[in-house]
Amino acid sequence: MSAQAETVLKNVQLPEEPEKATLEGRNKILGFWFFLGGESVLFGSLFATYIALRNQNASGPTGAELFDLTMVAIATFLLLTSSMTSVLAVQAMHRHDVKNIKLWFAITVLLGLAFLGLEIYEFNNYAAEGHLFNSSAFASAFYTLVGFHGGHVLFGVVWIALLIGQLAKKGLTVVTAPKIYLAALYWHFVDLVWVFIFTVVYLMGKVG
Amino acid sequence: MEWLTTVDHKKIAVLYLVAGGMFFLIGGLEALLIRIQLMKPEFDFVPAHTFNELITMHGTTMIFLAAMPLIFALMNIAVPLQIGARDVAFPFVNALGFWMFFFGGLLLNLSWFLGGAPDAGWTAYAPLSGPDFGSNGVNFYVVGLQIAGLGTFIGGINMLATIVNMRAPGMSFMRMPMFVWTSFVTSIIILFCFPAITVGLVLLMFDRLFDANFFDVANGGNPVIYQHLFWIFGHPEVYILIIPAFGILSEVITTFSSKRLYGYSSMVFATVLIGFLSFMVWAHHMFTTGLGPVANSLFGVATMLIAVPTGIKIFNWIFTMWGGHIRFTTANLFAVAFIPTFVIGGVTGVMLASPPADFQYHDTYFVVAHFHYVIVGGLIFAVFAGLFYWWPKLFGRMLSETMGKWTFWLFFTGFHMTFFVQHFLGLMGMPRRVFTYLKGQGWDELNFISTIGAFLMAAGTIVFLVNIAVTARKPVGAPADPWDGRTLEWTIPSPPPEFNYAQIPLVRGLDALWVEKTEGNKEMVPSEPLGPIHLPSPTILPFLMSVGLFIAGFGFMYAGQHFDNGLAQALFNNYIVAGIGLALFFACMFIRSLFDDRGFHVEPEGLQEKGAKA
Ligand code: HEM
Ligand SMILES: [Cu+2]
């Protein structure tokens, strides 16, 4: 795109759904859905491994002894709320309301950080109780699954934070719009995975 | 430099071709060494441990670093052209996919020089590959394949988005050439099966490098999980290899029979069905693991089901040739030879799918014969067919047909000599993966024949290389449509201009070019006026990102090891190197997202000077 074309782009009325206005945008969205399909298999494999090993705690502590459901419930609440705020950001994008995109994304980032903080705190507690990455097959599977998810949250937080900066610099254009849309999509996916982790790891783990 | 920064799908195809070809030669050399060792009983050409490294690296190299990239080369040459697109959906990702594959493969092969190659078999089953038994080489396996696999994964996503979103007007799904269909199904399989092996490799890596317990029975681990993860990937993987071969065959046979493909829609249906079934049968590799009779029977029956759509395909190809004006070019020779060869591989496959019989065949040369009939007699034949077919399009030069026929006959004879006798060796009980055998068991002659066959194949390959070298000296002069083709790629000059189509064509039926030919038109009807064409700029970032992962890979592998040299200890016995590599990777990612690629325009005046038309 030449610089001239870019100014034209900014002045032209943005379409209702700017993320789908260009072929590049549509390609990105489609490609990202495919990517999430692959990610589902990735997490599916980790879940399967965890389910197979969840009672193999050797002589270490079991899930029922470890898990603190109150804290996990708070974490879940934070993450699900952040999913909602990211929807609000996308809705703001459809209204071409840059200020509110930034606002809702900022809240999303904060909630994500709070979630991560809780997770680190939780892992620390477990470690203190002798539940280390290498203490049993259950422990390895637990930290791998939940840790992979945590890594995804971290990636999402950094991604969205950088997007806020980009938005401040470049505004809402047909180039930045797909990025906003994709980041929100990713964030939903990460939250959805957490719902499964909450059920399979924590609820099922507590019940035994 | 141009080659390090290119994002043009045709250049990336060449890169895949060169790199995949190089790994094919390495894998072939390993095969020859294996075969020399097995040429006669109680031979001591290579030591037992080296033999283990050789079979591991041969299998791994051939599957991940030769067959896959050669397929990606052909997909990159043909898919965008066949759907009438100017480019792929994500040129940047396309380049990134190549470089990741390349550096992953490089890392894996460096193991030969850095303390020994992996030796736990190409399947790297735990616990043999685990921290207690696997050599240092297995680290190279887990890390290298993760990087290469990531590259393949994103390459697959690129193909999918390209096929769904970038088709020329009028090119409905049911008008797509068969090769595009097979590339589509293959890419879907890649999408869903590569993450499974990535998880398997990650878990193995955690066991090896970070003392995890996934496969460590003493601490509650379970090695069968590794087998499941491996084969949930591994079985679909062989379909990733063979389905594009089906597509190439359909293109080559229709063109050289001057007939449309018989039963096009049943071919599409069969392809999709095979793709789906390929995910349902992984446990047929695990009959002897002890899953029990119920699971074994179900997986056995599901496996046999695949024979049905495959049979449909075989008959359709035969009916396509039936009554056509068949031209036996080299490409078509390879294509026609594919059919009986693949049928033999299919029949032995059904034999193996019967669990009680498999207890007999398991881990014998019967299996080796079976999968080489499918992979070499299927895929490699098809790759040769595809290369001879699309070479003029890609390079603008015709390969020599005379030398081509030499290649074919040498390779074809050598192939059957090598692998046909292995069926009998297997039935007579010769186990696979053993480095030698005692004399007087009736295996001596057959093994000798097998080795001679392997040398004939090598000779065929050498003739092919000579062919390339000779052809490369000739001036660019291939016509746009050397074979009287039927599909869109033959409507543009050979080699195609950077932007492929000056005007995107309008597609009016299956075999778009043939439709126009039968109506007496010399070229396609354009679907748009001549205008400036936007192309993405070249960039070094994909290369640097892959280098970053490459460095990080070494960092992780060596972080836990002790070095006598003080400097090496200071550098490597920690995560500094890994951190540097990852930092490079993410920094490139960051730069990429910060500076949107403006690309550049080719103006129509320029187009006319170059004499390009729709
Ligand atoms: C071109 C000539 C080839 C020859 C002469 C050849 C020969 C061999 C031999 C002798 C073995 C060892 C069998 C054993 O001891 O278990 C082997 C194994 C294998 N080959 Fe090939 N091969 C060739 C091509 C290929 C190709 C093109 C592929 C795949 C694309 C391939 C895939 C494999 C695999 C997966 C194994 C199993 C390795 C293992 O047991 O871990 N081969 N081959
Ligand atoms: Cu299989």
Side-chain angles (χ1 to χ4, degrees), chain A residues 76-92 100-101 103-105 107-109 111 184 187-189 191-192:
Chain A
T76 308
F77 175 74
L78 291 176
L79 208 58
L80 291 186
T81 313
S82 77
S83 225
M84 190 185 72
T85 54
S86 73
V87 175
L88 290 173
V90 170
Q91 282 182 349
N100 272 314
I101 309 178
L103 176 67
W104 289 121
F105 261 175
I107 299 178
T108 310
V109 168
L111 290 168
W187 196 251
H188 288 322
F189 176 79
D191 289 0
L192 183 70

Side-chain angles (χ1 to χ4, degrees), chain B residues 231 234-236 238-239 281-282 284-285:
Chain B
W231 288 114
H235 186 81
V238 300
Y239 286 79
V281 300
W282 76 89
H284 63 210
H285 297 272

Side-chain angles (χ1 to χ4, degrees), chain B residues 396-418:
Chain B
R397 299 173 172 91
M398 308 292 288
L399 284 172
S400 150
E401 279 291 309
T402 322
M403 276 192 269
K405 289 193 173 138
W406 272 98
T407 301
F408 171 76
W409 287 111
L410 283 168
F411 203 86
F412 179 80
T413 325
F415 165 77
H416 285 285
M417 256 175 89
T418 310

Side-chain angles (χ1 to χ4, degrees), chain B residues 414-432:
Chain B
F415 165 77
H416 285 285
M417 256 175 89
T418 310
F419 295 110
F420 193 71
V421 296
Q422 292 185 359
H423 292 113
F424 301 102
L425 281 171
L427 293 177
M428 291 193 277
M430 176 164 163
R432 89 193 251 210

